[in-house]
Amino acid sequence: MRRLAADAKAQVLADAAAVWLLGLDGSELELHAGLGFGRPSTARTLAHRPVGRLGDWLTTRRPPSLTAVPAAAAAGRAWLVDESIRSVLAVPLVAGGIRIGLLAAFRRRRPFAAGHLSRLRELAAAGGPAIHAALRFAEEREHVERAEMLLAVTQTLASTSDLPAALDEVAHRTAAALGAERCEIVLAEAPGPVRAAPVDAAGELVVPIGREYDAIGSLRLVRGDSSEWAPKIVEMATAIASQIALAAENARLVRQAEAHAGELAALHEVAAGLTSTLDLPTVLAAVADSACMLTGAQRCAVFELDGSQQLVPRVSRGLPVDKLLTLRPGQGAVGAAALRRAPFFTPDWREHEPPGYGLDRMPDGELLRDAVRHQGVRAILAVPLVSKDALVGVLSVAWEEAHTYDEREVRLLAGLAQQAAVALDRARVHSAAVRRADELGALLRAARTVMAGLDPLATLEQIVHEAAGIAGTPHVKLLIVDPEARTLRVGALTGAPVPADFSLALGAGHSGRVAATGEPLFVHDLANDARNALRERDREAGMVTYLGLPIRSRDRVLGVLSFNTTTPRRYSPAELEYLGSFADLAGIALENARLYDEAQRALADLKAVQQKLVQGETLRALGELAGGAAHHLNNLLTIVVGRVQLMLRGLEDERIRRPLTIIEKAAKDGAEVVRRLQQFSRTHQVGRAQPLSLDDVARDVLGLTRGHWQDGARARGVSIEVEHRLAGATTVQGDAAALREAVINLVLNAVDAMPKGGRLMVQTRIDGDHAVLVVADTGTGMSETVRLKAHEPFFTTKGVKATGLGLSVAYGIVRSHGGQLSLDSTEGRGTTVTLTLPRAVAPHPAATAPAPLRPGALRLLLVDDEDEVREALAEMLQSHGHTVLTAAGADEALARLETEPDLDLVLTDLVMPGRTGWDVAAGVKARRPHLPVGLITGWGETTDVDEARRAMVDFVVDKPVTVEALQEAVARVRER
């Protein structure tokens, strides 16, 4: 660059020449070569605009200009005035299109010419690239030297773990490389400063050694002269300081990692111990021991957060656990750590009191500060135990003397707390699972026991027995709700007895409130509870606590299960849930027992109804069979009786009369048997229904049977006491004769069942819309097998003297009246027969009587489909002087009616092929409303015939027809 300046001075005949190069930031021009200047004031640096337009050209690249130096020079141009410069010629130095500096020539007496500018530009064009190449070479060499220096420093620092020795070697290298007489490296974290032999310091350079924004030491260079330190030396010293800072940071991190490794090893060992068991007491003890080992504290405790949000001490080291305090979150050092969920440390609570020490009082009234003083501790470190974002407790260590804060201790205890929280949570979950499994097992066993039986009383006893076992108290009561009386009564109990008549109104007392609200209730002090209606009794029995649980079935409260203890006790939420589940099972068991009991009663009723239906259908079928047989037998007996009576009327020979009389009697006896068969078959057949009183029926029957139950019994040497209880107002609609016959059969059966005497009772009563008649005896009774067959016709236990139709006939009569007959009997204790009949309604108006007939012999139309019966009846009527016209069926009868206007009476059989006797009666009444119609039947009248049909028939003659019965019926017609 001096050569370029010399060439420029010579080429343009200048008095002086200089070369300035742009600095690193491009804001200044630094003087690198100058020739011809007489004074040392020549500018070492030029600002952006050192000489007016010359500066403009350097910054804007406008063409340069020649100018004279102004007379009044600015402060920046003072050196030009000092040098007596008159004219300046300047051209830029450019390399590769980049400005790198300025080449300038100066004259003191005359200005430059235009040709000088061309020559100076040629010099600048040739010199710019050369200068640029020289500068690049110098920079590369400096970079290499710097890199070698820094590499050597890095290798020295990295080659050994002994940082002080490495720094000593780096200091010697740095002093030698940077031309310093001495280099000192001082680190705050190093054992001591690295210093060389002392020398007199004329000039020194101090470079800070920093980590991020903090200074951790310094690098100091010292030399004998006071000249300015070159920028490259400053730059190199700064780079070396950076390397030293990195080495110091690495050494710190290594020390930290080693410390952490030791802590992790210790925590890992602790974790292995904590996770080796799921037993909660063992885990708590291991946590306390580990805390003491890691921190070296004299005291250690683990507090658990219980369901009432209290920090309860569970295990302690250095002090008995019962001497520790139960605290609330926010109370004391332990409570502060729980509330803040962050470690809390006090080096000496006497100088730095944790929250609540001077205000909070313990249950015994002592201030928290005094209670801690009695424990003999000064410094406390508490760390929260948090698992899954939930606070489970606090781990606390304490020292008996004041203790300084140690981050390592806090870090170790916090790490232990994390593992302890997880271990405690797992142990609690495991303990809860084991406890729950035990509870469910007990609950399952209790459920099996309670559900095993369906007897209500046995179920109640099982419930209280199992409840006492699972609750751990012998005093258990099961109170049952009486919905009608709205009271509670004792269903079953264990422990302290209560009066047999004990009852409690719903809403009164503790159990009454549970039953009324359907909500559980716990009382921890029964004796002092003003709401306790049984306070005195509980105080005398020594009861302390009460727990009442509702027993439900769906939305209905069935009762209350109450538990009493004679010592103080609290129930956890899990225990309440467990006992509540048992109460729910008890509700299901009670409901099942109730439903089973109802089902049994319903089944018994169903069986009884089914039995009655079977009996009814059996009797109905037998009745229909007997009715059909009776009809045919009556026809035959009508022929026999009629013919025999006709023969006897004109016969005087006693030898012939006697056999005929026997035949007549036998036929009439047969007719009586047929009549009984008809009575049995008439489940829907009675005489004309009329209002009557069961009281009158009872009196008539007792009167009619007096010879049997009084005279006959006395003749046998026994006594039968007869009692009648008549209620009155027992009016029914029915056939008095049929009902008398039914009751007579029952009374006779009762008397026969008391061969050794006894008591006969006939009773009437009103049961809603029904009237009831009861015949009861104290006789031999009957077995279940006999009772089931008693309704069957011809079944008897009396031997050949009885027909076996009495009870079955009575059954048919009662059924025909729309009633029921029930039989209750116990062998050896007697029999009770109950007749239940619908109470009477308003009687139907009587039919209009036909017009009276003329006296004397009658002209009759006889209708019957059987020739023998028709002929026999015709002869019987003719024997009394009547004129008889016959017809074999309904059509023939109605045809004869058209041709016989003088008929006085129509007699028709009921059952005939095709059209029946009712059809004949209807046809007669339609043609001749006032012509009397008589009905001859072996079936009797039927209740299923409406009143309109009944009104068409004026009288009924039962088969077998005798001459007397036929004559009496015709006589009644004649009397009308």
Side-chain angles (χ1 to χ4, degrees):
M1 283 184 280
R2 287 184 66 83
R3 181 181 299 173
L4 179 61
D7 291 344
K9 181 182 178 186
Q11 289 290 334
V12 297
L13 302 176
D15 296 317
V19 177
W20 283 275
L21 297 180
L22 284 171
L24 295 176
D25 58 359
S27 63
E28 291 182 337
L29 292 166
E30 297 176 0
L31 181 63
H32 279 257
L35 297 175
F37 296 105
R39 298 176 183 278
S41 60
T42 304
R44 305 298 300 178
T45 61
L46 296 178
H48 286 291
R49 297 179 180 181
V51 286
R53 292 183 179 179
L54 180 63
D56 287 341
W57 183 90
L58 290 174
T59 57
T60 65
R61 297 299 298 271
R62 289 197 296 268
S65 63
L66 298 174
T67 182
V69 176
R77 309 184 192 123
W79 61 277
L80 296 174
V81 176
D82 291 342
E83 290 289 342
S84 299
I85 302 300
R86 181 180 179 187
S87 180
V88 178
L89 181 61
V91 295
L93 294 172
V94 180
I98 300 174
R99 294 170 310 195
I100 63 173
L102 181 69
L103 174 63
F106 304 91
R107 283 185 178 181
R108 293 185 176 93
R109 292 184 179 88
R110 61 187 185 280
F112 289 104
H116 295 150
L117 177 60
S118 298
R119 287 195 291 273
L120 194 62
R121 290 180 64 182
E122 292 174 358
L123 286 173
I131 293 173
H132 181 68
L135 290 175
R136 295 299 297 168
F137 176 76
E139 287 178 1
E140 292 295 334
R141 186 174 63 184
E142 289 178 1
H143 287 166
V144 170
E145 292 174 355
R146 179 183 175 186
E148 289 176 350
M149 180 62 187
L150 293 177
L151 178 61
V153 169
T154 303
Q155 289 175 344
T156 300
L157 294 173
S159 62
T160 178
S161 60
D162 186 0
L163 183 61
L167 292 178
D168 185 62
E169 183 177 350
V170 169
H172 285 89
R173 286 179 178 271
T174 302
L178 301 183
E181 297 178 6
R182 187 177 69 211
C183 177
E184 295 178 357
I185 300 174
V186 180
L187 292 178
E189 299 177 355
V194 179
R195 297 180 182 272
V199 298
D200 294 334
E204 65 178 11
L205 174 64
V206 179
V207 179
I209 300 174
R211 179 173 62 233
E212 295 180 352
Y213 299 103
D214 297 328
I216 62 173
S218 64
L219 184 147
R220 180 171 176 261
L221 296 174
V222 180
R223 66 186 180 188
D225 62 86
S226 59
S227 62
E228 185 177 357
W229 294 89
K232 64 179 182 179
I233 294 177
V234 176
E235 184 180 359
M236 179 61 71
T238 303
I240 293 173
S242 298
Q243 292 297 317
I244 294 172
L246 289 175
E249 177 67 9
N250 289 337
R252 186 185 68 81
L253 293 176
V254 169
R255 292 193 304 272
Q256 215 174 54
E258 290 175 348
H260 285 174
E263 295 172 4
L264 290 175
L267 291 176
H268 176 72
E269 184 178 355
V270 171
L274 292 178
T275 56
S276 62
T277 179
L278 289 173
D279 181 62
L280 185 58
T282 303
V283 171
L284 290 170
V287 171
D289 293 337
S290 300
C292 290
M293 178 192 69
L294 293 174
T295 62
Q298 293 89 17
R299 308 283 178 84
C300 178
V302 180
F303 294 79
E304 183 182 12
L305 187 68
D306 66 2
S308 61
Q309 298 300 299
Q310 297 283 321
L311 293 166
V312 182
R314 297 302 187 192
V315 67
S316 174
R317 294 292 181 267
L319 192 70
V321 71
D322 57 350
K323 300 294 183 182
L324 296 179
L325 305 174
T326 297
L327 303 169
R328 299 188 308 272
Q331 195 174 50
V334 171
L339 184 63
R340 302 175 185 179
R341 293 201 179 187
F344 183 91
F345 176 75
T346 177
D348 188 350
W349 66 264
R350 296 180 183 179
E351 298 181 4
H352 308 281
E353 283 192 352
Y357 268 42
L359 298 176
D360 293 344
R361 293 186 178 275
M362 296 296 97
D364 58 0
E366 187 179 26
L367 278 173
L368 178 57
R369 174 198 301 128
D370 298 331
V372 175
R373 179 182 293 111
H374 294 157
Q375 293 179 1
V377 298
R378 296 278 294 276
I380 304 172
L381 172 60
V383 180
L385 301 174
V386 179
S387 176
K388 300 176 183 176
D389 294 331
L391 181 71
V392 297
V394 174
L395 175 60
S396 171
V397 295
W399 291 266
E400 296 173 355
E401 300 296 334
H403 189 76
T404 57
Y405 179 81
D406 187 342
E407 184 179 354
R408 177 178 174 276
E409 291 174 350
V410 176
R411 190 168 57 247
L412 284 172
L413 201 62
L416 174 62
Q418 290 179 355
Q419 298 188 20
V422 174
L424 286 176
D425 192 43
R426 291 175 62 246
R428 289 170 66 181
V429 171
H430 173 72
S431 298
V434 172
R435 183 177 65 252
R436 188 63 174 169
D438 293 340
E439 292 173 351
L440 290 177
L443 196 61
L444 181 60
R445 291 191 296 272
R448 274 201 303 263
T449 304
V450 169
M451 298 292 188
L454 291 172
D455 178 73
L457 294 179
T459 300
L460 294 174
E461 294 293 338
Q462 287 292 344
I463 288 174
V464 297
H465 176 74
E466 295 297 335
I470 64 176
T473 175
H475 306 291
V476 180
K477 290 191 292 295
L478 178 55
L479 304 176
I480 303 299
V481 173
D482 186 344
E484 296 182 357
R486 294 190 59 77
T487 59
L488 288 170
R489 59 177 179 81
V490 177
L493 61 84
T494 62
V498 297
D501 59 348
F502 174 84
S503 66
L504 193 63
L506 297 184
H510 296 319
S511 294
R513 284 198 294 276
V514 173
T517 63
E519 297 295 332
L521 176 65
F522 173 72
V523 180
H524 72 280
D525 188 1
L526 281 173
N528 297 316
D529 187 3
R531 300 175 301 172
N532 185 10
L534 307 175
R535 189 188 318 168
E536 295 301 326
R537 186 180 66 81
D538 289 337
R539 184 181 290 114
E540 292 175 2
M543 300 302 171
V544 177
T545 69
Y546 167 88
L547 174 64
L549 300 174
I551 298 177
R552 297 175 177 276
S553 175
R554 299 179 178 89
D555 295 331
R556 184 165 56 95
V557 177
L558 302 179
V560 176
L561 189 62
S562 69
F563 303 86
N564 291 106
T565 64
T566 54
T567 57
R569 176 173 179 177
R570 294 276 184 180
Y571 295 90
S572 67
E575 288 176 317
L576 292 176
E577 181 182 2
Y578 172 49
L579 294 174
S581 298
F582 179 79
D584 293 339
L585 284 175
I588 295 173
L590 288 179
E591 184 67 6
N592 288 346
R594 183 187 67 81
L595 293 176
Y596 176 77
D597 188 53
E598 291 182 358
Q600 290 297 104
R601 290 198 300 268
L603 182 60
D605 294 343
L606 180 61
K607 287 182 177 179
V609 171
Q610 184 181 28
Q611 186 176 4
K612 290 179 180 179
L613 289 176
V614 171
Q615 291 173 350
E617 290 300 314
T618 301
L619 292 175
R620 184 186 62 79
L622 291 174
E624 291 179 357
L625 177 62
H631 172 71
H632 292 291
L633 288 174
N634 277 328
N635 283 338
L636 296 176
L637 290 173
T638 295
I639 298 172
V640 172
V641 172
R643 292 296 183 182
V644 168
Q645 287 182 341
L646 289 175
M647 293 175 65
L648 286 173
R649 291 191 62 179
L651 186 63
E652 298 293 338
D653 189 346
E654 187 64 26
R655 290 179 302 173
I656 298 175
R657 287 184 62 86
R658 180 173 178 77
L660 291 176
T661 303
I662 294 173
I663 293 172
E664 181 185 18
K665 184 176 183 305
K668 288 183 177 181
D669 289 342
E672 179 64 21
V673 173
V674 171
R675 189 185 66 81
R676 292 189 181 183
L677 282 176
Q678 280 184 312
Q679 291 289 341
F680 170 70
S681 67
R682 285 189 312 189
T683 56
H684 294 288
Q685 299 173 12
V686 295
R688 186 177 299 274
Q690 296 178 347
L692 59 94
S693 171
L694 290 184
D695 291 2
D696 294 340
V697 172
R699 293 189 189 95
D700 292 346
V701 168
L702 290 177
L704 291 172
T705 58
R706 180 181 298 276
H708 198 69
W709 54 261
Q710 177 176 291
D711 300 338
R714 289 176 179 175
R716 298 196 307 272
V718 297
S719 175
I720 295 178
E721 179 185 354
V722 176
E723 178 183 359
H724 57 87
R725 300 177 186 174
L726 307 179
T730 56
T731 303
V732 298
Q733 194 82 8
D735 183 351
L739 289 176
R740 279 195 298 271
E741 181 179 0
V743 178
I744 286 173
N745 285 332
L746 298 179
V747 170
L748 294 181
N749 286 342
V751 172
D752 291 342
M754 296 184 288
K756 297 181 180 180
R759 182 169 174 269
L760 171 67
M761 185 186 71
V762 178
Q763 176 188 11
T764 61
R765 66 174 186 268
I766 299 301
D767 186 5
D769 294 336
H770 293 79
V772 180
L773 188 149
V774 179
V775 177
D777 65 69
T778 59
T780 57
M782 61 185 73
S783 66
E784 184 66 13
T785 302
V786 173
R787 188 187 71 82
L788 293 176
K789 294 183 177 181
H791 294 86
E792 298 179 6
F794 309 111
F795 175 80
T796 179
T797 58
K798 304 175 186 178
V800 296
K801 67 178 182 178
T803 62
L805 293 174
L807 192 59
S808 60
V809 168
Y811 179 83
I813 292 173
V814 173
R815 285 289 302 274
S816 68
H817 283 76
Q820 292 182 348
L821 184 149
S822 62
L823 181 65
D824 184 18
S825 181
T826 301
E827 194 168 9
R829 295 187 180 181
T831 301
T832 299
V833 183
T834 303
L835 283 70
T836 303
L837 298 171
R839 295 182 68 183
V841 295
H844 294 285
T848 303
L853 302 175
R854 67 180 187 275
L858 301 179
R859 184 177 178 84
L860 295 91
L861 175 62
L862 177 63
V863 186
D864 199 309
D865 61 302
E866 295 191 17
D867 297 340
E868 293 83 356
V869 175
R870 188 173 62 253
E871 291 176 0
L873 291 175
E875 290 183 14
M876 293 166 69
L877 290 169
Q878 290 170 351
S879 66
H880 285 81
H882 302 294
T883 302
V884 180
L885 304 176
T886 62
D891 294 335
E892 184 181 352
L894 294 176
R896 294 292 296 269
L897 188 66
E898 296 294 336
T899 59
E900 298 290 339
D902 297 331
L903 290 176
D904 298 317
L905 175 64
V906 176
L907 283 176
T908 178
D909 188 19
L910 174 61
V911 179
M912 294 183 293
R915 303 172 72 181
T916 66
W918 294 116
D919 298 323
V920 174
V924 171
K925 293 296 183 179
R927 293 168 174 79
R928 301 182 189 180
H930 301 295
L931 179 62
V933 178
L935 193 67
I936 302 174
T937 176
W939 294 86
E941 297 185 53
T942 57
T943 57
D944 56 354
V945 177
D946 55 30
E947 290 298 324
R949 278 194 169 188
R950 287 181 177 276
M952 298 175 188
V953 176
D954 296 280
F955 62 89
V956 176
V957 178
D958 291 329
K959 293 181 181 180
V961 181
T962 62
V963 173
E964 295 82 1
L966 195 58
Q967 184 177 359
E968 180 181 356
V970 174
R972 286 200 301 269
V973 173
R974 183 185 296 114
E975 291 173 358
R976 293 182 184 181

